[in-house]
Amino acid sequence: MFKVNSVPTEPVRRLFTSGFSQMGAVTRDIDKRTYNVLQGNIDYYAEKIPEVKQFAKELKTLNPKDLGTICDTLELSEYHALLTSLEANIDRTFSATLKEKLLGQMVKSSKENPEGMDLVNAIINNTDSTTSKYALHVMSGGVLNNKDLARQMNATSKIVPEIAKETLSGGYTMDLSKQERFMDFIKLCVNQESQPDMIKFLFKKLVPFTDKRPENEVFNIDVPALIRSKADIEDVVARLKALPKFLEDIGEKFKDFDIVKYLTKAE
């Protein structure tokens, strides 16, 4: 009698199919895997990782997008760049974090605080493997299940591509300085004092404006002051529209110009 192999077939992976992992900011393709494929992935990982087996039935009840994000996270945990001992340490730390608490937090977030899963999805889709692992390890402290930060997480997930480009550009630094800069920005946005409208305004309107201005090099954007400002967003947008004429009128005085105070009417 033939013995049937009960181990599920290899999962359909999405992140590292070429065997090469780009460093820094990345842009990954949309997840096109079917729900049945994703459930098959869970079966595969459940045979290899006891913690996945523990949540297997619950995982299969999640919505397809979040199940895809969890499959991506599991794929992330099995990818090892091993460029240096630093990456190896991150791999070990992330793997332990995923098993000990992150997986359970992601299941709970999907059911009770989906904005947390949207943020995880945005990070995985727009950063390299080292940054994603570092970020998710830091976020395993409980933020994914903090409903009080849902609005901030929703706004932040929409600007993760811009945050990644701003903080992860340049060559390899042999340390975690870029990853720390990325997470410092995420923490600044995912904060009770941060205003969701201002988070989106910063990268969707203000930065594109300043990038095109000849005064760009002298503009100093006080990011914390801007995103914590409770100024009416419609007033802020209106003042931005009026800013070119204002800059023309003040001439050389723009060197001492505080763009955030102007936009928010702060004294």
Side-chain angles (χ1 to χ4, degrees), residues 27-44:
T27 303
R28 303 196 192 280
D29 294 333
I30 296 174
D31 191 350
K32 298 179 181 178
R33 293 171 295 188
T34 67
Y35 199 42
N36 285 340
V37 166
L38 295 172
Q39 291 187 329
N41 283 8
I42 295 301
D43 287 337
Y44 172 85

Side-chain angles (χ1 to χ4, degrees), residues 144-214:
L144 295 180
N145 303 136
N146 189 340
K147 298 178 184 179
D148 293 336
L149 294 173
R151 292 171 62 246
Q152 286 85 353
M153 285 190 278
N154 176 270
T156 304
S157 66
K158 293 176 171 57
I159 62 166
V160 167
E162 289 83 1
I163 295 175
K165 291 175 184 176
E166 179 72 20
T167 60
L168 302 176
S169 62
Y172 184 55
T173 58
M174 300 293 289
D175 58 23
L176 294 175
S177 57
K178 291 184 180 181
Q179 285 70 32
E180 290 170 355
R181 286 177 57 203
F182 176 80
M183 280 310 297
D184 284 346
F185 220 124
I186 296 292
K187 290 177 184 177
L188 182 63
C189 295
V190 182
N191 186 289
Q192 286 282 19
E193 296 181 11
S194 299
Q195 306 301 310
D197 286 339
M198 292 300 181
I199 292 172
K200 290 182 280 190
F201 171 81
L202 171 63
F203 276 116
K204 299 301 183 182
K205 292 187 179 295
L206 181 55
V207 171
F209 172 86
T210 57
D211 282 349
K212 294 177 182 178
R213 293 292 305 183

